[in-house]
Amino acid sequence: MTKATSQIITGWGDVFGSIANFHLPALLGWQDVAQRYRRSRVGAFWLTINMGVLIGALGLVFGTIFNSPMSEFLPFICVGMIVWGYYSQLINEACVSFIANSETMLQLPIPFFTYILRTWWRNTIILGHNILIFPIVLLAFGKFVDLYALLVVPGFILASLNILWIMVILAVLCTRYRDLTQIIQNVMQVSLYVTPIMWQPSHLPNGTKSALMLGLNPFYHLISVVRDPLLGNPGTLVNWIVVIVMAVVGWAIALLFLNRFRSRITYWL
């Protein structure tokens, strides 16, 4: 057995241990949401209201700028903003997942991936609140989802697998290099504008530059496998192949990474 294979197996032990006891990060995630909105009558739906207002404003402005039919553009930007908000929040919070749980990590022998799952589950609960905006938008234009919407399940699973390995790597790196958190936040802000969220891929001119701008953008593929099925489009074969390859390669790297530095994480805290 090679050293790399041994490290993957050891790293997988940490991940598997967290998944086997998923009730722990699930409980902690629920408590995070409940604690944040304690004594609030509306609760987490305040985030839904804020997201709805933002989608309406951006849809009106950019739909007018691009001269796009509102019945097509508003559902597009609705799903895009909700999914992007989910991804960006997960990645930003991953940077401080270990730091925010430093007291617990220094006292209890809990698998490190548990804290990643806690962050993932907390934001997935919020995603469940925000996605309620989408059927309201569809009903406003008299539209409904079709059978392609079933593809959102494997699309979401693949996207989550990719986001989770990214979170593992960032959680370790940002624990060691604290300034990296600010860099990641800036990268995510820039990525918002270069990813087709507030503009549609059809708005780009035909050409190699446009194709590269989309093809080399991992967030474009991660969003497409979730957004396109909800909009009546299965997504391109390239989108699905890219997210699958990213998940396999990314997790191999993340497991090696986790095992390589897991003994130093508590020291860095």
Side-chain angles (χ1 to χ4, degrees):
M1 182 183 296
T2 65
K3 182 178 180 181
T5 303
S6 177
Q7 288 181 341
I8 289 178
I9 293 175
T10 305
W12 173 247
D14 186 283
V15 173
F16 182 78
S18 301
I19 296 175
N21 294 283
F22 182 73
H23 63 277
L24 177 58
L27 176 61
L28 293 173
W30 274 107
Q31 288 182 338
D32 290 340
V33 177
Q35 180 67 29
R36 181 175 179 179
Y37 295 99
R38 179 170 293 178
R39 298 185 183 277
S40 172
R41 292 182 179 273
V42 181
F45 284 104
W46 274 119
L47 293 175
T48 306
I49 295 172
N50 294 337
M51 179 64 73
V53 172
L54 178 62
I55 290 171
L58 292 177
L60 179 62
V61 172
F62 286 94
T64 302
I65 292 175
F66 295 121
N67 194 28
S68 300
M70 201 58 63
S71 60
E72 296 179 4
F73 188 73
L74 197 57
F76 175 87
I77 195 174
C78 175
V79 181
M81 287 299 298
I82 291 172
V83 176
W84 174 260
Y86 175 64
Y87 292 167
S88 62
Q89 194 68 18
L90 281 173
I91 290 175
N92 286 330
E93 290 188 11
C95 295
V96 294
S97 287
F98 293 158
I99 300 171
N101 293 280
S102 59
E103 293 184 2
T104 304
M105 294 179 68
L106 292 172
Q107 296 180 28
L108 300 176
I110 298 175
F112 293 157
F113 191 64
T114 299
Y115 305 103
I116 302 296
L117 285 178
R118 176 183 186 175
T119 302
W120 175 82
W121 184 246
R122 177 173 65 243
N123 285 280
T124 301
I125 294 172
I126 296 174
L127 172 67
H129 287 78
N130 289 341
I131 200 63
L132 296 177
I133 302 172
F134 180 62
I136 296 175
V137 171
L138 289 183
L139 289 175
F141 293 104
K143 291 188 171 185
F144 302 92
V145 296
D146 54 24
L147 291 178
Y148 283 133
L150 296 176
L151 291 174
V152 75
V153 176
F156 178 76
I157 292 174
L158 286 171
S160 294
L161 287 174
N162 278 286
I163 295 297
L164 283 168
W165 71 255
I166 294 173
M167 292 174 67
V168 170
I169 294 176
L170 289 180
V172 175
L173 286 177
C174 292
T175 301
R176 176 62 180 88
Y177 304 102
R178 303 298 173 94
D179 291 336
L180 186 59
T181 299
Q182 304 301 322
I183 297 176
I184 296 300
Q185 291 177 354
N186 291 332
V187 169
M188 294 305 296
Q189 289 178 354
V190 174
S191 298
L192 171 63
Y193 298 104
V194 299
T195 305
I197 298 171
M198 294 183 290
W199 50 271
Q200 296 174 297
S202 58
H203 293 150
L204 291 176
N206 295 326
T208 304
K209 291 183 179 180
S210 298
L212 290 176
M213 183 176 178
L214 294 177
L216 298 179
N217 185 347
F219 291 113
Y220 164 64
H221 302 289
L222 290 174
I223 287 181
S224 293
V225 295
V226 176
R227 177 176 59 193
D228 288 355
L230 292 176
L231 299 179
N233 185 344
T236 67
L237 182 60
V238 173
N239 293 147
W240 291 95
I241 291 176
V242 168
V243 295
I244 292 173
V245 172
M246 283 175 55
V248 174
V249 176
W251 267 107
I253 296 173
L255 292 175
L256 288 170
F257 206 81
L258 179 61
N259 186 74
R260 177 69 176 79
F261 299 106
R262 65 198 305 272
S263 62
R264 305 181 188 182
I265 293 175
T266 52
Y267 173 75
W268 292 335
L269 292 172

